[in-house]
Amino acid sequence: MSSPFTRSQAIAVTWSTASCHAVRLCAEGQGARIVQCWQGELGKEGASLAELVLRAVREVGADDQCYLVAGGNGQGWGMADLEMPPLKAEELRNALGFELRKQTPLPPEKLRWGYRVLPRVPGRASRRIRLYYVRTENWNSWLKAMEGLHHADALLPAPVALDPLLAEAPFLLPGDPPADPGYAYAPSPAGRIVQPLSGEAPPALSDTLPEGLCRTEALEKYPQEERMAFAAPILLGLYAMTDALGHDQSTAIPLPERFRARRHLGLKALAACLAVALLAIFAYGAAGYFSGHALQLRQLEQAIRKTSGELEELQRQNDPKYTERASLLRQELLDNIPTGPDFPTVLLAVTREIPKTHWVADPFEWRNGKVSFRIQGPQKEVELSSRLEGSPYLGDVTERLSTMNGGAYTQRFELTARYDTPLEAQLRKNREEELRQKEEERKERERKAKLAEEEAEEDWEESEEMEE
């Protein structure tokens, strides 16, 4: 019996809302073995989920050459096994898009979906298809968790990777005890059936992995009840070591370009440089044969030195330490992107709207984008709330106080520093256009009134001249 694995090793990492687990597997005989494993809790091991995932992959010894499959938490996704007639790729995708509407009430534009073509059942002409889908907001949160990784070959929920490796065995995955003990994905003629576990006895890792498929001695450092949490990454790691991963990449939910693996760049660059060097040597020989000038030799030596320098630069960029530092810097820049106006911008926007007859009665308060201030003046400023609301940097304006004391009106306002939504920006634009039109109409009326006054004055002067 030949080995079911086509790759010698693979890495898998999974996470939930509270923890992260990673394993590194290697092929051994007819099965596999866990070489390294790691688990960490969010809040203890890292400042963010992205840093925890990056540390998990680094702890198990990941590099750019190793195949890596990631799996998000168990929220916001679903799958269904379907029997489909033999169809072309485009026709099959259109048919699955129609079937997707039967599986979930959510509209397709709020989902990311893909499918796997499972092995044929002997005696059946139809094809077995595993359709799976993820809510768009959950998919985006998974991508954010993977932001620090150098590359990833696939991102999918662990149960989707079942079959054909574990086609004849039920697979158990833990839930969130004690309320959710977990689920069993049992095989059936119609596909995988999801069955909730009873919760009477917690499942063990030995109950879900067939004997001889994967050696788990590396997990003995963890308590028995914690080993079951590694079931999902073990399943994804076994899947990554089979040729099913390569077949499914054309039909799975596509990953962004930044996660695409760049393997063997150094060898490819070296091969390209050797090809350039061979061409250069051939050109030198031809030039020496036809001309015999030493100038050709100097030019070829310069080309070889330039190519060697480019090769060293490519090797430096391919260094895992360099790419890791670049990933962390990129994540830090993304985490520090401002989401709203800053204090000087808000202060300037409020100052522009307060009339010259009024003044701020006490310090201008700023608390995480929440603004509070009081103004005083000889009369109550009725339209100040609407003018503040019309600013593109202010919103949620509320007048909390309006009193009169000693001939001065005091008004207190609270507002939020935020950018206008597209609807508010359009309303503000319409309001400014309406005010502009009213101002033009007022000027036109004044111009006509002035012309009428001048004409009346000219008529009066003419009548005076005629009387004289």
Side-chain angles (χ1 to χ4, degrees):
M1 178 178 170
S2 61
S3 173
F5 304 119
T6 58
R7 299 183 180 91
S8 60
Q9 61 178 339
I11 289 176
V13 56
T14 62
W15 61 86
S16 65
T17 56
S19 61
C20 178
H21 296 77
V23 296
R24 183 188 188 104
L25 304 178
C26 71
E28 186 177 81
Q30 305 301 321
R33 178 172 61 90
I34 299 178
V35 180
Q36 290 177 314
C37 57
W38 185 85
Q39 72 170 0
E41 295 182 12
L42 188 64
K44 291 184 179 180
E45 304 294 345
S48 67
L49 180 58
E51 292 180 354
L52 192 64
V53 172
L54 179 60
R55 180 181 175 183
V57 174
R58 185 170 61 244
E59 290 291 338
V60 297
D63 55 53
D64 291 340
Q65 311 305 322
C66 190
Y67 282 81
L68 190 150
V69 177
N73 56 31
Q75 299 178 357
W77 73 276
M79 75 176 190
D81 289 349
L82 307 172
E83 291 286 341
M84 303 295 293
L87 298 172
K88 295 181 179 179
E90 188 64 27
E91 296 175 348
L92 177 60
R93 189 164 188 85
N94 293 336
L96 290 176
F98 178 77
E99 291 289 339
L100 181 65
R101 295 180 174 88
K102 300 179 183 180
Q103 301 296 328
T104 173
L106 293 176
E109 57 269 15
K110 293 186 178 181
L111 298 170
R112 302 298 300 273
W113 65 277
Y115 63 94
R116 293 186 60 210
V117 180
L118 302 181
R120 293 182 181 272
V121 177
R124 292 186 185 179
S126 59
R127 305 173 66 180
R128 294 195 304 160
I129 303 297
R130 175 161 296 161
L131 174 68
Y132 69 99
Y133 49 89
V134 186
R135 291 171 64 100
T136 301
E137 53 265 33
N138 292 87
W139 178 258
N140 292 335
S141 68
W142 293 359
L143 293 180
K144 186 176 181 180
M146 294 170 48
E147 193 63 41
L149 299 183
H150 300 159
H151 74 280
D153 293 277
L155 172 61
L156 73 167
V160 177
L162 288 170
D163 306 303
L165 191 60
L166 301 173
E168 300 178 358
F171 193 81
L172 308 180
L173 281 178
D176 188 10
D180 184 9
Y183 300 91
Y185 294 83
S188 70
R192 290 282 174 173
I193 299 177
V194 183
Q195 300 172 341
L197 297 179
S198 62
E200 298 177 356
L205 188 60
S206 57
D207 298 334
T208 192
L209 291 177
E211 184 178 0
L213 180 61
C214 182
R215 294 176 55 187
T216 60
E217 291 86 349
L219 299 179
E220 292 180 355
K221 61 182 179 180
Y222 298 108
Q224 184 70 29
E225 60 274 10
E226 295 183 9
R227 299 177 192 175
M228 190 60 190
F230 286 91
I234 291 175
L235 172 59
L236 291 177
L238 295 174
Y239 167 72
M241 294 172 63
T242 65
D243 57 359
L245 175 62
H247 297 325
D248 297 338
Q249 284 183 331
S250 61
T251 61
I253 303 177
L255 287 170
E257 179 66 25
R258 65 181 182 274
F259 292 114
R260 183 166 298 179
R262 303 289 194 273
R263 294 190 178 88
H264 311 299
L265 289 179
L267 295 178
K268 294 178 181 178
L270 180 60
C273 292
L274 291 176
V276 171
L278 290 175
L279 290 175
I281 293 173
F282 175 78
Y284 166 70
Y289 178 78
F290 289 106
S291 63
H293 296 289
L295 178 62
Q296 301 290 335
L297 177 61
R298 290 195 298 269
Q299 290 178 346
L300 290 175
E301 290 177 349
Q302 292 176 358
I304 292 174
R305 286 196 297 269
K306 180 180 178 181
T307 303
S308 300
E310 293 176 351
L311 176 59
E312 292 178 358
E313 179 66 19
L314 286 174
Q315 291 175 343
R316 186 183 68 83
Q317 294 181 1
N318 196 38
D319 187 356
K321 294 182 180 179
Y322 175 83
T323 54
E324 178 180 342
R325 289 196 297 269
S327 299
L328 291 175
L329 289 174
R330 181 170 62 253
Q331 181 64 34
E332 183 176 353
L333 292 174
L334 291 174
D335 292 341
N336 286 279
I337 294 176
T339 58
D342 54 9
F343 176 77
T345 303
V346 173
L347 180 60
L348 180 60
V350 172
T351 304
R352 288 176 175 174
E353 301 301 335
I354 297 177
K356 296 181 179 180
T357 57
H358 290 67
W359 62 92
V360 176
D362 56 2
F364 195 92
E365 296 183 0
W366 168 279
R367 295 180 180 177
N368 298 326
K370 301 295 183 180
V371 180
S372 176
F373 65 92
R374 291 194 302 170
I375 65 170
Q376 289 184 349
Q379 70 275 348
K380 182 177 180 179
E381 188 63 23
V382 180
E383 298 183 356
L384 181 57
S385 295
S386 60
R387 292 203 302 271
L388 291 173
E389 190 71 43
S391 173
Y393 309 109
L394 310 175
D396 305 329
V397 181
T398 304
E399 184 176 352
R400 295 295 186 185
L401 176 68
S402 178
T403 60
M404 180 180 179
N405 186 15
Y409 280 91
T410 300
Q411 295 172 263
R412 180 171 174 269
F413 295 90
E414 293 182 358
L415 51 88
T416 302
R418 62 174 176 82
Y419 295 115
D420 279 353
T421 63
L423 177 59
E424 291 174 336
Q426 185 61 39
L427 292 175
R428 179 172 58 84
K429 184 177 180 181
N430 296 340
R431 186 163 56 251
E432 292 176 353
E433 181 65 21
E434 182 179 353
L435 292 176
R436 186 186 64 79
Q437 292 179 358
K438 289 182 178 180
E439 181 65 17
E440 291 179 355
E441 292 175 358
R442 184 186 65 78
K443 291 182 179 180
E444 182 65 19
R445 288 196 301 269
E446 291 179 354
R447 187 182 65 81
K448 291 182 179 179
K450 185 175 181 181
L451 290 177
E453 183 179 350
E454 291 177 353
E455 291 178 356
E457 185 177 352
E458 291 177 358
D459 293 342
W460 181 79
E461 290 177 356
E462 290 178 359
S463 61
E464 288 291 330
E465 293 175 356
M466 292 177 63
E467 290 177 359
E468 290 177 359

